[in-house]
C-alpha cells in the first residue's frame, strides 16, 4: 500500500491512521455483539419482571428466571397459573403474541393463599423447610416448624413432602386486593341548582 | 392583639351547594344526659387488645386512662402501647372489650371498651394550669399527648406528634381551620360562637408549642355570628398576651380543604406529594384548638367533642357536646327522630360523608356530624349516563385537574396517563360529582383507580422481595453443598462470582436509562468480583465470602 520509498514523515502518520481505523472497526464489531447479548438479557429481565416470582415451578422450570429465559427463546407464555390474567396479558403485550387461555396442564387460576402449619401436629422432619424456595419456614430437626406469613409466596411446594399432612393453604391477609367499593357507593349527592 | 379581620382572596374551582346549616344553629350547644352504655373505641391506632389497660369488671372513674400509653407519646405505637391514649368519659364498670360499630368514614368497626355507667359521674381531680406561657414546648407536647387529642376535623392524626414534627421542621405559620365549608356541618361554627376565647387561647398554645411566628384563624364569610364572637374575643382582656390573627375566606366548597385553604390565605401551593410542613405551614382544626386549650389549661383529657345532629328527619336538630362512645341512636332519640321518614344516616357532611349502615354506631373523636336524611334531601343515586365532555368538572375542580380526562383514562385503565395527569393530587372532594350533568360518580372511579395502582405497586414490591429471597436461597444451597463436598477453597469463591453476576444480569435491564442506583449496583458487583478473585488467589477461608448486598431489579 505504502510506497517503501516514502520518507518517515509519510510512513508514521499513515500507519497510525490504519491502526486507528482498525481499532474503530473492531470496537464497532464488539459493540454489535455486545448489544445483541444485552438485548437478549434485557428481554429476559423484562419477562422476569412480569412473572409473579412465586418460584412455584408449575411451569415446569425450576423458578421464574429459568421460565423467563425459556420464554425469550420461544416457549409458550400461558404456563403461569399464579400470575393470573394480568401476567398473561402483560406478557402477550410485551411479546406481541396473541392472548391464549391458560394451559390446563400447568394448573388453574386461584386466589392468593399462604401456607399454614398446624403446629401441634408437626413432627419436626424439616422436609418442608428443604422444599421452600424462599426460606420462609422456620424450625429445626424434631422441633416445631412455622411459616413466616409475610415471606410465603403460596407456591404449594411444602404441602406435598409433609409426611403427616399438617400444612394447609389458607387465604392470607391479602393487602393487595383493591378496597371494597361498597363504602364508596354510599356517596350521596345533594340536589340543588347546578352552576 | 391584632386588629380587624382581613379578607382573603378567592381560589380557583369549587362549588356553592346549598348550605343546610341554619337548622342546627337555632339552639345552643347542649350537653347530653349520661348514656347508660358507652363503647369507647380504641384507636385509630390498630393496637388491639394489648393496648387496653383495664380488665372486664373493673370500676373506672371519669377521666381515668383506659389504655396502656407510652410516656414519650410522640413516636407512634410499638409493642401494644397507644401513642394516643383514651379516657373514661364517665364513671362506671367495664363490661366487655369487644368489636363495635363506629361512626367514622374510614372503618365500620373498631375494638371498643364497653362501659356501663353508674350515673354518679365520679371524677378524678384535674390539674389546672393558669399560665400556659410558662410551659416549654416539650411540656406542652406531653400534656397534649397525655390528653389523647387527635385531629378533630376528620383525618384523626395524633396532634402532639404532628406538632412535634412541625416544631422539628421549624414552621413559620399556624393556620387554625374554622372554614367548615361542607353542607350540614356546624360543629366548629357553634363552638366558636359560644367558646371563642377558648378556641383562640388553644390556637395560641398550638403556636407556642411548635414555635411558629404567626397564627391565623380562617373562617368563612357566611358565619356572621362566629365572626362577631371572634372579634369580641380578640379585643377582650383575656387575650392580652395571645397573638392570633383573623382571616375571612370566601365561602365555597371546598374552601376548608387543607391545601386549598393554604393557597387561599398565602398564595402558596403545597407541591404534589409533599406536606404543608414542607413549606413551613401547619394546619389544625378549630375543634382541635379547643381540645388543646382544655387539655393544657384545664387539664381535662379529650372525653367529649361537639357533634352536629341534623337532617330533616330530626325534629330539633342541634349541636351536642357528646361523650366519646355515645351511640348514634341515643343522640337521634334526643333530637326527636321520625324514623318513618328517615331513609339514610350519614356520618360527615353531605358531600364527603359516608352512609352509616348501623345506627348503633358510636361517636369517636373524629365524628363531626351525623345526618338523619329524608328522601327529599337524599333522593338516591341517579342512573349514570355517558360523558358529554361539557367541561363543568374541570371548572369545578379545586386542584385544577381534568376530571373528564382522568375518567377516560381510568376507563382504559391507563395507569401511566393517570399518574401523569395528577390522579394522586385528587383530594376526592366530590365537586366534580356534584356538577356532572350525566351523574357520573367520578370520585368513585378515581378511588378505584388509585387503589388498583397502589395494589400493582405493592405486588411489584412483593415479587421483588420474593425474587431476592429465592436468589439467596439458591446461593445458600450451593454453598452448603460445596462445603459438604469439602472442596472449600476455589469453588466457593467461584460461586460468589456467579452470584454477583446473577445480580449483574438484573442491572442490565435498565441499560437505556443510566441512573445512580445502577452505577452503585455495578460497583458493588465489581467489588464482589474482585474480592472473590483475591480470595481465590490467597486461598482465603470460604466462610468470609458473603453475598453482595442484594438489590436486584
Amino acid at each position: 500500500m505504502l510506497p517503501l520509498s516514502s520518507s518517515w514523515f509519510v510512513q508514521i502518520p499513515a500507519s497510525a491512521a490504519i491502526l486507528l481505523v482498525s481499532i474503530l472497526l473492531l470496537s464497532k464489531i464488539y459493540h454489535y455483539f455486545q448489544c445483541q447479548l444485552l438485548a437478549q438479557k434485557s428481554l429476559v429481565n423484562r419477562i422476569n419482571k412480569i412473572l409473579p416470582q412465586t418460584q412455584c415451578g408449575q411451569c415446569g422450570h425450576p423458578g421464574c428466571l429459568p421460565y423467563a429465559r425459556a420464554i425469550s427463546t420461544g416457549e409458550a407464555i400461558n404456563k403461569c397459573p399464579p400470575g393470573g390474567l394480568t401476567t398473561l396479558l402483560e406478557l402477550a403485550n410485551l411479546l406481541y403474541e396473541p392472548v391464549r387461555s391458560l394451559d390446563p396442564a400447568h394448573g388453574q387460576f386461584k386466589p392468593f393463599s399462604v401456607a399454614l402449619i398446624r403446629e401441634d401436629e408437626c413432627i419436626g422432619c424439616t422436609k418442608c423447610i428443604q422444599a421452600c424456595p424462599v426460606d420462609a419456614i422456620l424450625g429445626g430437626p424434631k422441633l416445631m416448624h412455622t411459616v413466616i406469613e409475610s415471606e410465603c409466596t403460596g407456591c404449594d411446594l411444602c404441602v406435598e413432602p409433609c409426611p403427616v399432612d399438617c400444612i394447609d393453604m389458607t387465604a392470607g391477609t391479602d393487602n393487595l386486593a383493591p378496597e371494597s367499593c361498597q363504602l364508596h357507593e354510599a356517596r350521596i349527592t345533594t340536589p340543588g341548582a347546578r352552576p | 392583639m391584632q386588629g380587624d379581620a382581613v379578607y382573603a382572596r378567592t381560589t380557583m374551582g369549587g362549588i356553592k351547594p346549598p348550605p343546610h346549616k341554619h337548622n342546627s344553629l337555632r339552639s345552643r350547644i347542649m350537653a347530653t344526659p349520661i348514656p347508660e352504655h358507652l363503647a369507647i373505641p380504641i384507636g385509630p391506632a390498630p393496637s388491639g387488645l394489648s393496648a387496653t389497660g383495664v380488665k372486664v369488671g373493673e370500676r373506672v372513674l371519669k377521666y381515668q386512662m383506659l389504655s396502656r400509653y407510652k410516656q414519650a407519646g410522640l413516636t407512634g405505637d410499638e409493642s401494644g402501647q397507644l401513642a394516643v391514649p383514651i379516657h373514661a368519659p364517665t364513671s362506671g364498670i367495664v363490661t366487655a372489650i369487644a368489636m363495635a360499630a363506629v361512626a367514622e368514614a374510614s372503618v365500620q368497626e373498631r375494638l371498643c371498651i364497653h362501659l356501663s355507667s353508674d350515673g354518679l359521674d365520679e371524677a378524678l381531680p384535674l390539674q389546672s394550669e393558669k399560665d400556659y406561657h410558662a410551659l416549654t414546648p416539650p411540656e406542652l407536647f406531653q400534656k397534649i399527648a397525655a390528653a389523647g387529642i387527635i385531629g378533630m376535623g376528620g383525618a384523626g392524626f395524633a396532634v402532639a406528634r404532628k406538632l412535634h414534627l412541625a416544631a422539628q421542621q421549624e414552621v413559620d405559620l399556624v393556620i387554625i381551620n374554622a372554614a367548615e365549608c361542607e353542607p350540614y356541618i356546624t360543629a366548629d361554627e357553634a363552638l366558636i360562637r359560644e367558646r371563642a376565647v377558648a378556641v383562640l387561647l388553644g390556637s395560641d398554645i398550638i403556636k407556642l408549642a411548635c414555635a411558629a411566628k404567626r397564627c391565623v384563624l380562617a373562617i368563612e364569610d357566611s358565619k356572621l355570628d362566629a365572626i362577631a364572637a371572634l372579634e369580641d374575643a380578640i379585643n377582650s382582656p383575656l387575650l392580652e398576651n395571645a397573638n392570633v390573627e383573623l382571616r375571612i375566606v370566601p365561602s365555597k366548597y371546598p374552601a376548608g380543604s387543607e391545601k386549598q385553604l393554604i393557597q387561599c390565605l398565602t398564595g402558596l401551593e403545597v407541591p404534589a406529594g409533599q406536606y404543608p410542613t414542607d413549606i413551613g405551614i401547619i394546619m389544625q382544626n378549630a375543634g382541635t384548638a379547643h381540645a388543646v386549650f382544655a387539655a393544657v389549661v384545664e387539664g381535662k383529657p379529650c372525653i367529649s367533642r361537639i357533634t352536629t345532629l341534623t337532617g330533616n328527619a330530626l325534629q330539633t336538630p342541634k349541636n351536642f357536646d357528646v361523650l366519646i362512645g355515645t351511640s348514634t341512636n341515643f343522640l337521634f332519640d334526643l333530637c326527636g327522630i321520625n324514623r318513618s321518614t328517615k331513609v339514610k344516616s350519614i356520618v360527615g357532611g353531605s358531600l364527603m360523608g359516608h352512609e352509616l349502615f348501623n345506627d348503633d354506631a358510636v361517636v369517636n373523636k373524629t365524628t363531626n356530624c351525623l345526618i338523619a336524611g329524608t328522601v327529599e334531601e337524599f333522593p338516591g343515586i341517579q342512573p349514570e349516563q355517558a360523558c358529554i365532555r361539557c367541561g363543568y368538572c374541570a371548572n369545578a375542580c379545586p386542584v385544577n385537574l381534568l376530571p373528564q380526562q382522568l375518567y377516560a383514562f381510568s376507563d382504559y385503565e391507563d395507569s401511566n396517563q393517570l399518574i401523569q395527569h395528577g390522579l394522586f393530587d385528587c383530594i376526592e372532594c366530590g365537586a366534580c360529582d356534584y356538577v356532572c350533568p350525566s351523574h357520573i360518580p367520578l370520585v368513585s372511579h378515581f378511588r378505584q383507580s388509585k387503589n388498583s395502582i397502589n395494589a400493582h405497586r405493592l405486588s411489584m414490591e412483593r415479587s421483588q422481595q420474593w425474587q431476592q429471597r429465592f436468589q439467596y436461597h439458591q446461593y445458600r444451597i450451593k454453598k452448603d453443598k460445596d462445603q459438604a463436598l469439602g472442596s472449600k477453597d476455589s469453588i466457593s469463591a467461584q460461586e460468589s462470582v456467579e452470584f454477583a453476576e446473577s445480580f449483574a444480569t438484573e442491572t442490565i435491564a435498565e441499560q437505556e436509562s443510566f441512573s445512580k442506583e445502577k452505577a452503585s449496583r455495578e460497583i458493588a458487583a465489581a467489588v464482589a468480583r474482585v474480592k472473590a478473585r483475591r480470595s481465590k488467589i490467597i486461598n482465603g477461608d470460604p466462610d468470609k465470602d458473603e453475598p453482595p448486598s442484594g438489590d436486584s431489579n
Side-chain angles (χ1 to χ4, degrees), chain A residues 45 134-135 151 183 188 194, chain B residues 344 434 465 469 473 505:
Chain A
N45 268 294
V134 289
D135 292 341
E151 309 293 351
L183 208 62
I188 37 207
R194 298 190 184 281
Chain B
K344 246 182 196 172
Y434 181 80
Q465 181 195 341
R469 284 186 77 90
H473 169 85
T505 54

Side-chain angles (χ1 to χ4, degrees), chain B residues 471-483:
Chain B
Q471 281 171 350
Y472 186 81
H473 169 85
Q474 282 182 319
Y475 165 77
R476 185 180 63 79
I477 297 279
K478 269 188 186 168
K479 197 177 145 192
D480 287 355
K481 206 193 276 172
D482 295 338
Q483 276 181 350

Side-chain angles (χ1 to χ4, degrees), chain B residues 401-411 417-424 426 442 445-446 449:
Chain B
L401 299 177
L402 296 169
Q404 59 178 23
Q405 208 60 31
L406 287 172
Y407 169 63
F409 290 134
S410 79
D411 236 20
Q417 287 284 5
L418 278 170
I419 292 167
Q420 272 184 15
H421 280 72
L423 175 70
F424 284 90
C426 170
L442 291 156
H445 284 281
F446 300 157
S449 303

Side-chain angles (χ1 to χ4, degrees), chain A residues 4 22 28-29 39 61-62 74 80 84 89-90 111 117 123 136 158 163 169 173 193:
Chain A
L4 284 171
S22 57
K28 279 285 168 201
I29 293 166
H61 295 274
C80 182
L89 287 174
E90 278 183 46
I117 295 177
I123 55 168
C158 54
M169 297 307 290
T173 44

